[in-house]
Amino acid sequence: MKNIFKRIPLLLLLFTTIANAVCQNSLPDVFSMKNGRKVNSQREWSEKRRKEIIQFYTDSVFGLLPNATKYKQEYEVYEKETLVLGGKAIRKQVILTITNLKGNKIAIDIMVYYPNKKIKNGFPVFVLQEFLGNQSLVSDTLIKIISTPIITGNPEKKGIINNLATSASRGVYARRFPVEMLIDSGYAVVAACFQAFIPDAAQEAKKVMADFYGLNIEQTGTVSVWAWGYSRLVDYVYSDNKLNKYRIGAVGHSRLGKSVLWASVNDSRIGIAFVNESGCTGAKLSKRAKGETIEKMNSVFPYWTNANYKRYNGKDTALAFDQHWLVACMAPRNVYIGNAEDDLWCDPEGEFFSLKEAEKVYNFLNIKTSLPSDFIKAGQFSVTPPCGYHLRKGNHDLLTEDWINFIRFFNNIK
Ligand code: GTR
């Protein structure tokens, strides 16, 4: 009897390993096309299958991205080039006004840092959307406090009173923005708050989706608008000759991890997608049914995705698609996934195996990859492009250790 109890952990391990293997084996094949045939050439992948997958995600998950060509964009300088960080960096703040065909406007506060150095083709740059406004990232009182309402379902809303950011929100998310380290590593960063593109709340989002974007929230979820927002920040990079438009990495954490993946798949100007703890409908495989399920996400945040996606509620294990399809659409560009050991809601192992599956597409395109074959331990990382992954200790967050690994990966891209 005693022996059986002793063996329980071993049996459990065996069971989980088998369960994982079975699960991975039964993943919907990324190479099987809609017509039932298998992709048989690299060209067929790029010209047919990849497009088919993006179309599927547009129709059945996220909805259309707002069409950028119908908008006018203007930049107004809020803070001219200012020497900061003891003279190591230059910061500026710019207000991007986007005007639609009806003359309606939205304003986005953009904060830019770059090293105070000379460089030939501009600095490689991280483009970031964050949760509570630029003033939450840096406590400097010169940072413009975002005037757009902050009505996110995100529980950490320090210094946000009646949905408006106050001076008490200055620096509350500094831990997510190790700007000095970025500068010391030779990188520029362009940051803006996602809520300025569309609010993170059902009723308000529905209104902005209709009034400003001319879209129906049933057809397009807010993730598509946040994804579109990344592209507007990339437009800014293109307008600033201090920044290198051929070396752009886009970073998003959690709901913004989902958005940055969708943005990067759609916008080939983004050279690297840094997808941090994106979880359900991001990089996490749904079929494993670990952590957040589609139904759970859809019931708390129905406005993130379109109405068609609700069809998959309760069907996680029976899906005919899975998130490795979306990750694979990054090929041949770079994709990096960050996870934290205790963030089981995101199923870190499921995100790793999603990337492992996507790796097959890179290999099919004759691109060498270097991910380990087994899931890694907390504290380990694999930072050789084009597919990178790390697992840090701790919980759901975006921390210096994540950024250290992002920089390692970015440094490895020549
Ligand atoms: C959670 C949600 C996740 C994740 C996270 C976040 O509540 O269930 O899918 O996106 O929010 O964005 O912080």
Side-chain angles (χ1 to χ4, degrees), residues 60-87:
S60 306
V61 184
F62 298 119
L64 276 178
L65 271 75
N67 185 350
T69 58
K70 291 189 192 135
Y71 300 80
K72 192 171 81 186
Q73 304 193 68
E74 288 156 304
Y75 304 107
E76 178 200 327
V77 176
Y78 174 84
E79 181 190 37
K80 301 200 295 265
E81 277 91 351
T82 309
L83 219 51
V84 291
L85 299 178

Side-chain angles (χ1 to χ4, degrees), residues 131 154 253-255 258 278 280 292 297 301 304 345 396:
F131 285 79
N154 181 23
H253 168 64
S254 206
R255 66 202 67 186
K258 310 180 208 298
S278 58
C280 181
E292 185 173 29
M297 192 193 84
F301 305 104
W304 284 359
W345 197 233
H396 194 65

